[in-house]
Amino acid sequence: MTGAATVSETTWDALLDVERIEPLLRDALQRAGHGSGHALLAARRLVWKPESRALVAYDLWDARSGQPWHLFGKHYARPARASRVYAAWAGLEQAPFPPGSGVPQLIGWCPGASMVIYKPAPGRPLDRLTSLAAVRRGLRRAGSWLAALHRTSLPLEREFDVAAEVREAAIWAERISEACPSHGEAARQLAAELAATATGVRFESGVPIHKDFHYRHVIVGSRLAVLDFDEMRLGDPCFDLAHFCTYLRLLSTRRGAGVGSMALEEGFFEGYGLVAPPRRDDAFTFFAAYTCLKIAKQLSAGSGVEPRPGGRERLLQLTFILEHGRSLTRALLEGSHAL
């Protein structure tokens, strides 16, 4: 890849090659109005998912200001996905989030490398805050951020397709079965129960949703920032609520004797309720069960939110999350709730 490289010529290794990527970064920064005096000093790999996406840290020097710049570049193997994320991010920068909250600063768009460039958000993920009081304050702010997102009129290309997600859940169950045979039957049963209950649940639509909202995507500092807009689309706002709360349940389980998930949810729902009343209906229960199967798929593959357990602990967490998911689908089948 030389100065006039195209996406088709971009390779994963090229993203880390200072000499080859520097001209593309300079062009992107100049188009975004940040001048042309930037020199790329170093590139470091942060996330590497071949055939999908990569996250690279870039250290630059701004000759005009005499100051270093630290940027992240998020590369997508499919250019259309990069373009979609960039458009959603640009819209989020204009959204009326509560004071002291928003999204990481978008710097530019690098079509030659199929990459969105932004400044890293200062702070810590919710689960790395040093006190329970700080966690609760962060959860309250996260709830307010999410409620504000759900009230925007952000135009998004994609829409949530319940039938497609149910089919994907069945694929996840097979992957769990292959990776952890002892949990395959529970995963298949949960997937089947999701399919059986989907047609009887009333879902809302047309609301901007994050679709991957969890505690590691909430960065708390003097300003709260939410990360990762890869999955954003129009759908039911209950999805984000249930998804976040199910990951809180996972966090509570991992912390053992720590605070329970209901206590964590309380602050989150309180913050959300400052802007709009949260729903906890059949749709919430369904989406929570769906998220349990998603977490089980991640656990079986050694992916998902950190820390990623191994050995006996991984199997224990798999058992817990699949049992919880099945308690939710059984509640739907019986016409009750088990939140």
Side-chain angles (χ1 to χ4, degrees):
M1 181 175 69
T2 58
T6 63
V7 174
S8 61
E9 295 169 320
T10 301
T11 65
W12 295 97
D13 289 342
L15 298 172
L16 298 173
D17 189 317
V18 170
E19 183 177 346
R20 298 169 73 190
I21 199 69
E22 184 178 46
L24 297 179
L25 287 174
R26 282 180 174 173
D27 289 347
L29 291 169
Q30 190 168 9
R31 283 195 307 274
H34 297 288
S36 57
H38 295 88
L40 180 59
L41 304 178
R44 303 184 308 281
R45 182 175 74 179
L46 300 177
V47 176
W48 207 256
K49 296 187 176 180
E51 308 304 325
S52 177
R53 62 192 182 275
L55 183 64
V56 181
Y58 291 114
D59 298 328
L60 301 96
W61 182 260
D62 183 356
R64 293 190 309 168
S65 66
Q67 297 293 324
W69 272 41
H70 303 289
L71 304 179
F72 285 169
K74 193 162 188 180
H75 164 84
Y76 298 87
R78 292 187 289 115
R81 188 180 185 191
S83 177
R84 184 169 61 237
V85 169
Y86 177 77
W89 202 322
L92 288 168
E93 285 208 312
Q94 306 304 316
F97 291 112
S101 66
V103 297
Q105 183 183 348
L106 184 62
I107 295 296
W109 159 235
C110 188
S114 188
M115 184 165 63
V116 178
I117 308 165
Y118 64 100
K119 283 191 174 182
R124 295 181 177 183
L126 267 172
D127 64 314
R128 290 186 175 176
L129 298 178
T130 56
S131 71
L132 178 58
V135 171
R136 285 177 169 162
R137 288 193 297 270
L139 286 166
R140 192 170 185 269
R141 294 169 68 188
S144 297
W145 186 99
L146 185 63
L149 171 69
H150 290 164
R151 290 172 66 89
T152 67
S153 55
L154 189 69
L156 298 170
E157 294 180 16
R158 295 184 293 176
E159 294 190 13
F160 190 92
D161 184 335
V162 174
E165 297 292 342
V166 167
R167 290 193 295 271
E168 184 70 13
I171 296 172
W172 293 345
E174 294 308 315
R175 291 179 181 172
I176 294 166
S177 182
E178 292 171 4
C180 300
S182 61
H183 291 75
E185 183 59 27
R188 290 193 187 100
Q189 288 176 344
L190 178 52
E193 289 163 1
L194 283 169
T197 56
T199 56
V201 177
R202 177 184 172 273
F203 299 106
E204 294 187 5
S205 60
V207 174
I209 64 172
H210 186 281
K211 201 177 177 281
D212 197 18
F213 195 64
H214 58 67
Y215 56 83
R216 274 294 171 99
H217 283 159
V218 179
I219 305 300
V220 182
S222 58
R223 181 176 181 270
L224 179 139
V226 172
L227 311 178
D228 203 328
F229 314 115
D230 295 8
E231 299 298 326
M232 284 193 68
R233 65 198 64 201
L234 300 175
D236 189 326
C238 243
F239 183 96
D240 285 337
L241 292 167
H243 189 275
F244 191 81
C245 288
T246 306
Y247 274 90
L248 287 183
R249 191 174 291 263
L250 176 68
L251 175 62
S252 178
T253 300
R254 288 177 170 180
R255 289 193 167 182
V259 65
S261 62
M262 296 304 293
L264 295 175
E265 289 176 19
E266 182 181 349
F268 173 64
F269 278 114
E270 180 183 344
Y272 192 96
L274 294 175
V275 180
R279 285 169 37 228
R280 299 191 71 175
D281 53 14
D282 283 353
F284 183 100
T285 304
F286 177 87
F287 289 135
Y290 166 97
T291 306
C292 286
L293 192 55
K294 174 184 174 180
I295 291 172
K297 182 260 296 185
Q298 292 173 335
L299 285 167
S300 69
S303 61
V305 293
E306 297 178 351
R308 297 165 183 162
R312 182 173 179 271
E313 183 58 30
R314 179 177 70 146
L315 296 177
L316 288 173
Q317 291 186 22
L318 260 172
T319 299
F320 163 77
I321 205 68
L322 287 170
E323 288 181 351
H324 178 57
R326 294 207 61 210
S327 74
L328 297 172
T329 51
R330 285 196 297 269
L332 287 173
L333 290 167
E334 295 167 2
S336 60
H337 294 279
L339 302 182

